[in-house]
Each structure stands twice: as C-alpha cells, then as structure tokens.
Amino acid sequence: MQFHKVALSAFAIFCHAAVATGAHSKLLTGGTIVAYDEETRLPKVIRDGSLLVRGGRIAWISDAALPNNAVTDDVEVIDCTDKIITPGFIDTHRHGWQTVFKTFGSNTTLAEYAFRYSALVAQPLFTPEDLYISQLAGIHEALNAGVTTILDHAHHTWTRELAAAGLDASVDSGARVFWAYAFQNVENFGIPDQISQWRELASSMSSKLTTLVMAYDDFTNSPEGADTLAVVNLAHESNVAVLTAHHVEGPWMLGNSPEDLHRVGILNSSIPIVVSHATSLTARGAQLLRSTNQYISITPESEMHYGHLHPTSHLILDQASLGVDTHFTFSTDILTQARMWLQTTRHRVYKNTLDRWEIPAGNPFSVNQAFLLATRNGGLALGRKDLGVIAQDAKADIVVWDGRSPSMLGWSDPIAAVILHASVGDIEHVLVDGEFVKRDGKLVIEGYKGVQDRFLKSAKRIQEALKATPLPLQEGSFLGIGYPYGQVMEIDVQRGEGTGYGPIYA
C-alpha cells in the first residue's frame, strides 16, 4: 500500500507538470472523500478514493485512488494522499460590506451595533470605492476559510452607486454569492427607486457565480403597505431565486416572523425563504417552516455576542442552516459556527437532563449533524440540492484539508477531524465551480496585494471616523418603541480592585 501511494504521488506530479496549463478537468486522487448518500441521507466516507471535476461539476466519484483510464490529456491530477476532501461550507447570512469595521465591535451589544455599525447609520462613512473593496476583501476572507457559498444580506442599498458597488464586488470575488438586494426606504432613494434598479440589474446579470436575490425586513410593520406589496409582487413575478429577512423578536420586537411572511403570501411559495436568526421563534412559526419547507439561518457566535440569543432554534434544526452575520466582529468561518453550535446545543440538552438530577445516557447531537448543518442544509435552504454536497453532478465547490497538520495528525473519523479538530489553517485547497480560489494554502487572487492595499486605505479612513464618534447611549427604550434597556452584570477576572475589563484597544 505504501508503494502504491508513493507511485500515485509521483504520477500526480508528472501529470500536474504535463497538463496543468491546458487542463479542463481536475482529478483529485488518493484522498478521503466525505460524500453524501441520498438514500441514507447521511455522509458517506470513501477512503483512498478519487473524484473528477469537469465543467464546474463533479463528474464522478470512485472508491479507487486512480481508476483505469481516468487520466487523459485534458485532466490535471491533484494528489490528495493523506488529505480530507469535503464540500465547501455554506453561509446563509452575512453582511459582507462591513469588513472595514474589523475589531471595532469586540464588546458591543445588538443595540450598540444598531446605532454605530448597521445600515441605519453607516451610509455617511462609505464611498462606492470603500463599499466595493470592503465587500471584496470580506468575501476573500470567507473563501480563505473554506466558505464557498454566501447568502449576503446586502443592506447597503442607500444609493444606486453604493448598491451596485457591493454587487460588482460579489461578481468579482470568485465565490458563489446569492446577493440579496435589501429593499429599505432611505432618503432620496426609496423602495420604488430600488425596485427599478433591481430590475435593471437583473436584466443585465451575466455572472455564472453571483445570483441577484432579495432581502426585505418590513413584513411586520407594514404587512399591507404599498412597499411590501410591491416587494412581494416583484419576488413572485421574477421568480426570485431566494428571499431573506431578519427575524429578531422578543423584547427587540423587530418582527419578520414566519407567521408574518405567511400572512403576506410569500412563505408558502416556490421561492426559497431564509429567515435569519429566528430569535424567539414560536412553535407556530416552526410548524409553518416545516409545512412550507423553508429554513432559518442560525448565526451562533453573533447571537451570543450581541445578546439576542437563540432560545428555540435547537428545536427546528431539521429546517436550519448556519450563517456568520457580521464577520467584522468575530469569526468569518462556518467551521467555527458549526463547532460552537454543536457544543452550545449539547450544553442546552444536557442541562435539561441534569436539572432533573439524572445522568445523560447519550450524546444528543453528533458531529455528522453539525457537518450537515454547515454544508448540505445550507444548499437546501437556498433551494439548491447541488450545493453543499459531494455527489455526482453536484457543483464542484470543494475544500481539501491537510490531514497531516499538527491539529489533525492521527485522525480516523474525517468528519470529527474537521468539525472538532481542524482550523482554517488546515485548509490546503478551495475550489469554487471547479476552479481553485485557494491553492497550497494561499488565495489564488489576481492582484491580491493591490486589494489589500486598497482595503487598508479605506479601513484606516473609516476607522478613524469611528474613533471620533461617541458610542451611542443605551438608556430608555430600544428604538424608542421596544422594551427598556437593562443592566448587565460585569464579569470580574481579577482579585482585588478592578475587573480586568479594560478599554477597547482600537
């Protein structure tokens, strides 16, 4: 067996040198493949296998490291001996334009975010160039982390130019992006104007990776208003690929529950709906999601960081996917979200047993389930069974992990190795639509240093403006209509005087 692997490696080097420049297909050989079995609806592990990528899709998968007659003149061979091959991760909720705020929200709350970084207040900080480069750098960050598909809730649609800048960056990124134009009334650019621009953009779209979709957040406050009806009509008449909405209820009272979406006739349709956060989702709302086969996007780190939490999300994981949300504040990778959600849910269910003074007799949530949430369920949320899986005819969005890295060395279960032991640093290759966007541990981005320089220029200017802006007061009631602010106990990590909380070193 060892001789076979050495021979395979030598053959792969030869083939790579001989045909890489003219290759139209890619053969990943000798790796452990985490495929998906539609019959069992479980991951299928193929050890020392191979798969062929052709035309942006997975042409076939084999349990042989190098099947007979697999290599032809148009095939580039990529040796994946000792490596793990998985589908790319799917992020079903992100705001890519906020990348320039990096590290500024380290100790923020949802209320502070709303009045300092959100779409409500951020427009004056951005030029179209700032918006473009912030969006582009943020997507590159996601690609580096193995996130190959993003549903971007683009609520930077304050002007025609700023809206177009975010879409252009998505098209140029190399990622698979569902770019959700957010319809929101802003000064001098209302929803009728935005709908007009959306139609223009839709008629001129030619990208094979970026899809123009829709976002709207006023289903609760204006269920029968002209704007809501216009957005719903546009979604139906255009048969939009996806529509997404924030649902943050509880004392925030921001609405957009499944009940509200159902009431306006959008939930029970052929359009995939992604309800982000679903904070305080009700039993009735969960039942509606199941009956209409619509999904939520849980953003574990965000919901814990900002304090809106996810008290009922663990009860609807059969209709759930994972998202990142505001990656400027914390992790950009879905791997971290899957790991945090896995352990958070285990904690919640274990506590239920321990509170009855009983000993947990089993583990309630497996690594396989966390893996599916991060991959296949994201594809299902977007109405795309060909995303988030390694299967014949699926899109070739693939991550290759270094199985000999210090953190993964000695693995036996490839899914446990990825979900519980890997880090972004263990990602060797990332392919989107069959093309490398990361190879040998480095992003394959033409002119990436120039992107970095442009981004840093915008980030410096915007961050300086933020430093000069006082933090918003958190007193009275949220947005003047919600429940009052309440005091939060500050944790103390130091003996004696002081708590160790300290300032923000930005």
Side-chain angles (χ1 to χ4, degrees):
M1 178 62 74
Q2 187 62 37
F3 173 80
H4 164 74
K5 289 190 175 182
V6 171
L8 177 60
S9 297
F11 182 75
I13 293 170
F14 169 79
C15 288
H16 182 277
V19 306
T21 56
H24 299 292
S25 303
K26 298 176 180 67
L27 179 64
L28 280 62
T29 64
T32 295
I33 303 168
V34 183
Y36 183 73
D37 188 329
E38 191 65 49
E39 289 188 8
T40 64
R41 301 177 68 195
L42 289 171
K44 179 181 180 180
V45 173
I46 302 170
R47 300 179 190 273
D48 201 19
S50 59
L51 65 84
L52 181 71
V53 173
R54 179 182 292 132
R57 292 188 178 270
I58 297 171
W60 50 254
I61 305 167
S62 173
D63 58 5
L66 190 64
N68 293 332
N69 304 318
V71 179
T72 58
D73 289 344
D74 69 339
V75 174
E76 177 186 359
V77 178
I78 296 100
D79 182 17
C80 293
T81 303
D82 296 328
K83 304 185 193 309
I84 298 170
I85 303 169
T86 70
F89 293 118
I90 298 180
D91 176 358
T92 55
H93 185 64
R94 179 183 290 255
H95 304 296
W97 63 272
Q98 296 176 326
T99 314
V100 288
F101 299 148
K102 186 71 66 71
T103 74
F104 266 70
S106 57
N107 299 322
T108 193
T109 64
L110 183 60
E112 183 180 297
Y113 163 85
F115 297 112
R116 186 166 174 80
Y117 307 106
S118 79
L120 293 173
V121 296
Q123 177 184 354
L125 296 171
F126 285 85
T127 66
E129 161 66 9
D130 297 327
L131 201 298
Y132 174 90
I133 204 65
S134 187
Q135 175 85 355
L136 185 64
I139 298 176
H140 288 165
E141 181 185 1
L143 287 171
N144 185 63
V147 178
T148 54
T149 298
I150 295 169
L151 173 55
D152 191 283
H153 188 130
H155 49 10
H156 56 79
T157 50
W158 307 300
T159 68
R160 296 177 67 88
E161 294 76 18
L162 289 168
L167 176 58
D168 289 345
S170 301
V171 171
D172 293 344
S173 69
R176 192 179 302 281
V177 181
F178 291 78
W179 189 80
Y181 190 118
F183 297 99
Q184 54 187 339
N185 276 311
V186 293
E187 188 176 357
N188 299 320
F189 193 53
I191 286 178
D193 296 322
Q194 293 170 355
I195 288 176
S196 177
Q197 185 184 26
W198 192 95
R199 292 184 189 276
E200 294 169 13
L201 294 172
S203 66
S204 62
M205 285 292 294
S206 59
S207 172
K208 68 175 183 177
L209 290 179
T210 298
T211 304
L212 178 64
V213 296
M214 297 170 60
Y216 185 65
D217 280 339
D218 208 20
F219 289 108
T220 301
N221 294 329
S222 182
E224 299 179 356
D227 290 335
T228 299
L229 294 177
V231 169
V232 170
N233 288 337
L234 178 64
H236 284 305
E237 71 178 54
S238 63
N239 194 27
V240 68
V242 178
L243 186 146
T244 187
H246 289 100
H247 172 38
V248 180
E249 238 342 289
W252 288 273
M253 301 198 313
L254 298 178
N256 301 308
S257 68
E259 295 94 320
D260 295 328
L261 273 66
H262 188 60
R263 196 170 294 118
V264 300
I266 195 69
L267 195 69
N268 189 19
S269 71
S270 60
I271 299 169
I273 306 295
V274 178
V275 179
S276 57
H277 305 307
T279 297
S280 300
L281 181 73
T282 66
R284 183 180 297 277
Q287 186 180 51
L288 278 171
L289 290 172
R290 289 192 175 106
S291 66
T292 57
N293 194 26
Q294 305 290 10
Y295 281 71
I296 68 171
S297 177
I298 302 168
T299 62
E301 196 169 6
S302 160
E303 290 150 12
M304 289 187 281
H305 179 102
Y306 288 120
H308 45 303
L309 305 182
H310 29 241
T312 57
S313 298
H314 65 294
L315 302 175
I316 186 70
L317 294 186
D318 50 318
Q319 301 290 150
S321 59
L322 295 177
V324 167
D325 196 18
T326 60
H327 64 288
F328 78 91
T329 329
F330 34 69
S331 312
T332 195
D333 59 295
I334 288 295
L335 174 59
T336 295
Q337 308 311 317
R339 187 174 296 163
M340 294 182 77
W341 185 246
L342 172 68
Q343 306 297 23
T344 298
T345 304
R346 285 173 169 175
H347 170 271
R348 183 183 294 275
V349 178
Y350 280 146
K351 186 177 184 301
N352 181 272
T353 303
L354 291 169
D355 284 347
R356 302 194 306 268
W357 290 10
E358 296 175 353
I359 306 298
N363 193 309
F365 192 13
S366 76
V367 292
N368 298 336
Q369 292 171 309
F371 181 81
L372 290 173
L373 281 175
T375 54
R376 180 176 183 260
N377 277 33
L380 295 178
L382 299 171
R384 293 287 298 273
K385 291 185 177 182
D386 61 341
L387 298 180
V389 293
I390 291 182
Q392 186 173 355
D393 295 328
K395 282 293 186 179
D397 298 347
I398 295 168
V399 177
V400 180
W401 304 80
D402 179 8
R404 292 178 64 89
S405 73
S407 61
M408 299 179 76
L409 191 65
W411 63 270
S412 179
D413 180 340
I415 298 174
V418 169
I419 293 296
L420 291 178
H421 298 275
S423 71
V424 169
D426 299 320
I427 296 175
E428 192 159 318
H429 310 311
V430 179
L431 293 89
V432 177
D433 211 49
E435 299 298 328
F436 283 104
V437 293
K438 182 177 185 177
R439 187 161 194 171
D440 299 326
K442 295 183 178 180
L443 285 172
V444 184
I445 305 294
E446 186 176 352
Y448 184 56
K449 184 181 183 303
V451 171
Q452 291 174 306
D453 291 342
R454 289 167 62 190
F455 172 78
L456 289 173
K457 180 180 178 181
S458 289
K460 181 179 180 180
R461 183 182 61 77
I462 289 173
Q463 290 176 8
E464 288 299 323
L466 280 175
K467 290 177 185 178
T469 304
L471 292 174
L473 294 176
Q474 298 187 55
E475 56 186 29
S477 60
F478 181 57
L479 292 175
I481 58 171
Y483 279 74
Y485 291 101
Q487 293 302 308
V488 178
M489 180 185 73
E490 186 175 296
I491 300 300
D492 186 351
V493 301
Q494 291 188 162
R495 287 176 59 85
E497 294 184 4
T499 65
Y501 198 93
I504 296 174
Y505 296 99

